[in-house]
């Protein structure tokens, strides 16, 4: 909502778009939901869309597209080499980020593969404000290690601190001194830090990180996948930036970065990805890998239609009234839940609303995956599909022991411009009911546990028959209603 004030009070987020194409949703009965979650092994990744009412699994590739994006897709220029569509995208990247060289890739992790293969060597150390699953995996695949140097406040679940995604600059200096600058392949800053609740870093922090990188001649790489949310927070929370336009803030961030990469499944509301830089030597090094893994340099694994949509999507990201939609809906949801005592990550970040499962289900031990249990329980009582972001998303150590995660979160992603306020209110209602009945929810144990990325395909069973009890309580309270 830009500066809209509700005259009679009760301000709520206001949609700055209208809906012209809709997709019908199903809200299946709780009996079917019980079957469905059992079939899925209590893993929300394995649910079928037909059984899901609100899909809050992710914002990746499922943001609403605009009429202008759809229109642009109709005039894509398809060719293996030299397509006009590529030139348009390259020009848009140069216009927005001020970078001369653009390398396309099919999605964010493909960029991470290319960057890691090009720069990470055996023994390399990569400082990050925080890791993302795929960014870390690619560093390790190439023999490097990741050092997370988020500020202490970043891991504080309930906080008022506006920039929990900031990097600890003193720790960065200490790390470089400890290992020697030649061991640091690059420093990675992640906008809208995903795994700690979509938390932003400030422009000031980025400047400080940049200065350290320059002093030691180390490359600074920006993961801009969640840039849109971070831009909104810099504009609204960083006093000195409040009079800057979104374009100016974007350019300031880009000027501090040697390389920028992004998942266009998030940034630009389409499907694809890319890397940009002004450094010709870097560009040439990456170019070989793009053609090897992604495709020729003028499509890089993307469909030209998606590339057209990204051109328009990036342009629309420079519009404050577009990028504020996600954060404002999330803030509404977080504040409503907080008001009713439900433990949530604060301050509200981007990407989604994050529920603190460790506190919500404080009676469920971490070894029985509270965030996974909460994801399963919420689906059962509402048809809302969230994503476990806790110990199930970690991997066992080399001795087969569990690696308990710092936080046990249930992420309820808010795909941009997809849900209406009444749908968000429905989710809030069911979460509140579940919170009141939380003692009925028990833990989970693995019955099928793949050795890598177990959160995608693993299956779990309930540690007791708690789901039957939860269904019985639901029926007692809701009768025959859904
Ligand atoms: N970086 C960040 C910060 C991300 O959030 C993601 C994806 C990636 C890189 C990888 O991009 O999926 O296009 O390969 N995040 C998705 C999510 C998967 O659901 O949060 P990708």
């Amino acid at each position: 909502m830009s500066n809209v004030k509700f005259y009679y009070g009760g301000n709520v987020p206001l949609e700055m778009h209208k809906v012209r194409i809709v997709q019908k949703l199903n809200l299946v009965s709780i009996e079917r939901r019980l079957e469905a979650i059992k079939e899925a092994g209590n893993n929300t990744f394995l649910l079928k869309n037909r059984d899901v009412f609100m899909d809050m699994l992710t914002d990746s590739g499922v943001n609403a597209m605009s009429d202008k994006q759809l229109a642009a897709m109709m005039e894509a220029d398809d060719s293996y080499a030299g397509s006009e569509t590529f030139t348009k995208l390259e020009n848009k990247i140069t216009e927005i980020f001020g970078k001369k060289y653009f390398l396309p890739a099919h999605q964010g992790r493909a960029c991470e593969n290319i960057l890691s293969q090009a720069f990470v060597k055996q023994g390399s150390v990569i400082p990050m404000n925080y890791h993302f699953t795929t960014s870390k995996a690619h560093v390790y695949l190439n023999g490097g290690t990741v050092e997370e140097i988020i500020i202490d406040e970043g891991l504080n679940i309930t906080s008022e601190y506006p920039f929990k995604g900031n990097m600890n600059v003193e720790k960065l200096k200490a790390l470089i001194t400890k290992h020697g600058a030649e061991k640091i392949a690059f420093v990675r800053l992640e906008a809208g830090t995903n795994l700690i609740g979509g938390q932003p870093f400030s422009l000031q922090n980025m400047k400080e990180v940049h200065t350290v990188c320059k002093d030691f001649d180390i490359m600074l790489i920006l993961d801009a996948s969640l840039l849109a949310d971070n831009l909104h927070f810099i504009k609204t929370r960083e006093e000195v930036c409040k009079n800057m336009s979104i374009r100016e803030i974007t350019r300031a961030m880009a000027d501090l970065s040697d390389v920028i990469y992004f998942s266009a499944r998030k940034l630009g509301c389409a499907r694809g990805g890319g890397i940009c830089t002004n450094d010709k030597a870097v560009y040439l090094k990456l170019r070989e890998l793009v053609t090897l893994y992604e495709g020729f340099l003028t499509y890089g694994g993307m469909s030209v239609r998606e590339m057209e949509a990204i051109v328009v999507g990036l342009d629309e990201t420079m519009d404050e009234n577009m990028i504020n939609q996600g954060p404002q809906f999330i803030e509404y949801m977080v504040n409503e839940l907080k008001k009713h005592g439900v433990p949530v990550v604060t301050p509200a970040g981007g990407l989604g609303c994050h529920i603190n499962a460790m506190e919500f289900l404080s009676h469920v031990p971490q070894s029985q995956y509270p965030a996974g249990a909460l994801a399963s329980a919420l689906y059962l009582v509402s048809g809302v599909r969230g994503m476990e972001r806790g110990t199930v998303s970690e991997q066992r150590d080399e001795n087969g022991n569990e690696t308990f995660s710092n936080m046990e979160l249930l992420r309820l992603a808010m795909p941009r411009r997809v849900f209406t306020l009444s749908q968000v209110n429905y989710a809030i209602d069911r979460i509140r009911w579940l919170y009141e009945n939380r003692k009925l929810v028990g833990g989970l144990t693995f019955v099928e546990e793949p050795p890598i990325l177990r959160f995608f395909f693993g299956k779990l069973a309930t540690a007791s028959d708690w789901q039957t009890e939860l269904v019985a309580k639901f029926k007692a309270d809701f009768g025959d209603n859904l």
Side-chain angles (χ1 to χ4, degrees), residues 180-218:
E182 57 298 334
K183 279 246 168 167
I184 313 285
F186 53 83
V187 171
R188 173 178 171 276
L189 259 187
E190 182 182 312
T193 324
N194 189 325
L195 296 186
I196 59 160
Q199 298 292 329
F201 57 73
S202 66
L203 187 57
Q204 178 59 33
N205 181 250
M206 191 176 187
K207 282 182 185 157
E208 290 165 17
V209 171
H210 166 84
T211 304
V212 176
C213 289
K214 277 289 140 298
D215 286 350
F216 290 95
D217 199 19
I218 296 169

Side-chain angles (χ1 to χ4, degrees), residues 64-342:
M65 295 174 84
S66 71
D67 49 355
K68 294 193 170 52
Q69 284 184 291
L70 285 175
M73 290 172 91
M74 300 312 289
E75 52 165 25
D77 177 31
D78 219 345
S79 62
Y80 188 87
S83 91
E84 254 328 287
T85 292
F86 177 76
T87 306
K88 267 196 227 170
L89 181 52
E90 193 179 36
N91 289 343
K92 186 54 73 184
I93 294 280
T94 306
E95 175 198 314
I96 291 178
F97 297 114
K99 304 286 186 211
K100 271 197 294 248
Y101 304 110
F102 173 63
L103 297 140
H106 78 273
Q107 63 184 94
R109 68 199 71 180
C111 305
E112 290 167 340
N113 172 37
I114 287 160
L115 289 164
S116 297
Q117 287 214 29
F119 300 115
V120 178
K121 294 199 245 354
Q122 199 63 38
S124 293
V125 176
I126 321 295
M128 302 183 176
N129 49 346
Y130 208 70
H131 78 281
F132 182 68
T133 49
T134 54
S135 55
K136 184 170 172 178
H138 282 294
V139 167
Y140 279 79
L141 267 176
N142 287 283
T145 50
V146 168
E147 290 278 358
E148 288 168 323
I149 45 172
I150 191 87
I151 53 163
D152 293 347
E153 200 62 33
L155 298 181
N156 194 356
I157 289 182
T158 45
S159 161
E160 300 284 309
Y161 197 74
F163 293 108
K164 286 183 6 181
N166 279 355
M167 183 176 268
N168 184 325
V169 181
E170 290 312 313
K171 282 195 184 160
L172 175 62
K173 285 188 214 157
L175 255 186
I176 300 173
T177 312
K178 180 175 156 203
H179 296 284
E182 57 298 334
K183 279 246 168 167
I184 313 285
F186 53 83
V187 171
R188 173 178 171 276
L189 259 187
E190 182 182 312
T193 324
N194 189 325
L195 296 186
I196 59 160
Q199 298 292 329
F201 57 73
S202 66
L203 187 57
Q204 178 59 33
N205 181 250
M206 191 176 187
K207 282 182 185 157
E208 290 165 17
V209 171
H210 166 84
T211 304
V212 176
C213 289
K214 277 289 140 298
D215 286 350
F216 290 95
D217 199 19
I218 296 169
M219 199 162 54
L220 177 56
I221 298 189
L222 171 67
D223 177 349
S225 306
L226 290 167
L227 180 69
D229 297 334
N230 209 123
L231 286 167
H232 166 80
F233 291 124
I234 287 179
K235 170 95 185 159
T236 54
R237 293 181 185 174
E238 197 164 351
E239 187 58 26
V240 292
C241 299
K242 73 169 191 238
N243 294 322
M244 289 170 80
S245 68
I246 296 296
R247 266 181 202 272
E248 284 165 350
I249 300 171
T250 307
R251 181 55 81 86
M253 293 172 85
D255 288 349
L256 297 169
S257 316
D258 297 299
V259 173
I260 302 172
Y261 77 90
F262 59 95
S263 166
R265 298 178 65 81
K266 295 183 184 252
L267 185 68
C269 299
R271 287 142 213 92
I275 308 171
C276 62
T277 182
N278 271 332
D279 187 323
K280 190 163 185 189
V282 167
Y283 166 73
L284 292 175
K285 196 163 184 185
L286 301 177
R287 193 169 75 174
E288 290 167 20
L289 294 165
V290 170
T291 42
L292 198 57
Y293 289 102
E294 298 300 301
F296 191 69
L297 215 63
T298 54
Y299 68 92
M302 283 185 280
S303 127
V304 282
R305 285 177 197 264
E306 296 293 339
M307 287 161 68
E308 287 282 349
I310 297 168
V311 175
V312 178
L314 286 176
D315 203 59
E316 291 177 347
T317 301
M318 298 295 106
D319 175 357
E320 233 181 302
N321 275 335
M322 186 284 204
I323 60 172
N324 65 15
Q325 294 292 299
Q328 286 182 344
F329 272 66
I330 293 163
E331 188 181 20
Y332 172 80
M333 187 166 179
V334 166
N335 288 346
E336 285 297 306
L337 289 173
K338 201 169 84 177
K339 214 160 52 190
H340 294 99
V342 179

